[in-house]
Amino acid sequence: MSNLQLRVVSAVVLAVVALGLTWLGGLPFRLLCAVISAVIFYEWTRMSRPAGVPGLGFLPEALAAIFIGALIAGLSASWLLPLVVILVAITAIAATVRRTGQWDASGLAYASVSGLSLALLRDGDRSGLVAILFLFAVVWATDIFAYFVGRAVGGPKLAPSISPGKTRSGALGGAVGGVVAGLVLAAIAGTGNLALLGLVALVLSIVAQAGDLFESWVKRRHDRKDSGAIIPGHGGVMDRVDGLVAAAFALYVIGWILAGADHPAHGLFPV
């Protein structure tokens, strides 16, 4: 099996699992979010921690476990958000005092916000289901269109020092594809305000591509080609969800502004 075929098979399997757990919602989806957070933190720390340096011991992992437990328990945003701030602050202070583990706090923040955004967007109702499906449609279409348009059209590189394979034509194609996919999903779901959702889809597509570039920068900063090797053909979990979690955080913030921190999906996808 070629690498491309392996990538396709892995992507299909992951998509089926993600869609199934999204449909179920509740505890199954929170467990998915917890796994995403845990593996992101694991891959981040394995990339960023210098070999042979003691670091902060087991402290960051213990703090990450506290957050993951709170996420699985289904705590509300009014508890989760302050908890993340406190845990990240403890890690940052410990790193400053001990002058080591400088990347652990940012890794904990990145992993926590990733899981938190997805879990609070899904919530437990139809609005949350549509919100996550909308997110998937935009991000996945952005990835697919960016890849194929970039290969077909080529042209100037988007960010050659960070990710030499990405082109401006691919970024534009991805944005167009993401907006179209988001609008199609919204129309099928029967939501209103398509003009607003089209704008939101554009923002999410741009943020997803920025999230992809950010993860590429982190890998280059630490001399890594992939964040891990857990997913055949794709590398690590971070390599697969970098754009998704960035877009999820953006959608969560937009929903928070419109409807509050606990039920962000209601602002854009009213029941």
Side-chain angles (χ1 to χ4, degrees):
M1 185 178 291
S2 69
N3 187 60
L4 178 59
Q5 291 173 322
L6 199 58
R7 286 176 63 88
V8 171
V9 171
S10 296
V12 170
V13 171
L14 290 172
V16 170
V17 172
L19 289 171
L21 294 176
T22 298
W23 180 264
L24 291 173
L27 179 60
F29 189 77
R30 292 199 303 274
L31 287 171
L32 172 64
C33 297
V35 169
I36 290 173
S37 289
V39 179
I40 285 177
F41 185 68
Y42 173 80
E43 291 180 347
W44 181 288
T45 53
R46 292 306 169 273
M47 282 196 300
S48 63
R49 288 174 178 170
V53 176
L56 299 175
F58 193 65
L59 175 65
E61 281 75 9
L63 298 177
I66 291 173
F67 166 76
I68 289 167
L71 187 65
I72 294 173
L75 297 187
S76 66
S78 58
W79 286 96
L80 282 176
L81 291 170
L83 178 63
V84 169
V85 172
I86 292 170
L87 297 178
V88 172
I90 291 173
T91 308
I93 292 170
T96 301
V97 170
R98 298 187 60 174
R99 298 186 179 183
T100 187
Q102 302 300 322
W103 285 79
D104 284 0
S106 55
L108 181 57
Y110 182 61
S112 300
V113 167
S114 297
L116 176 152
S117 300
L118 288 166
L120 292 178
L121 277 170
R122 177 60 182 92
D123 205 3
D125 54 23
R126 183 178 183 275
S127 292
L129 173 61
V130 175
I132 294 295
L133 293 179
F134 178 82
L135 175 70
F136 286 165
V138 173
V139 174
W140 292 350
T142 295
D143 283 347
I144 293 168
F145 277 80
Y147 176 78
F148 285 107
V149 172
R151 284 177 65 89
V153 178
K157 301 297 183 181
L158 180 64
S161 63
I162 299 175
S163 185
K166 292 180 173 57
T167 61
R168 295 176 189 176
S169 63
L172 180 59
V176 172
V179 171
V180 171
L183 288 175
V184 169
L185 186 285
I188 292 173
T191 60
N193 54 17
L194 291 181
L196 174 59
L197 289 176
L199 179 59
V200 171
L202 177 60
V203 171
L204 297 186
S205 180
I206 293 171
V207 171
Q209 296 187 63
D212 193 340
L213 289 174
F214 169 73
E215 199 247 356
S216 295
W217 174 79
V218 172
K219 288 188 296 186
R220 281 188 171 272
R221 176 68 175 75
H222 297 289
D223 240 354
R224 298 295 183 94
K225 181 180 181 294
D226 296 313
S227 65
I230 193 172
I231 304 175
H234 291 274
V237 169
M238 281 178 62
D239 296 317
R240 184 64 265 168
V241 304
D242 46 11
L244 177 68
V245 296
F249 178 61
L251 185 58
Y252 176 72
V253 171
I254 294 170
W256 182 355
I257 293 170
L258 295 176
D262 281 316
H263 305 288
H266 291 190
L268 290 168
F269 309 97
V271 177

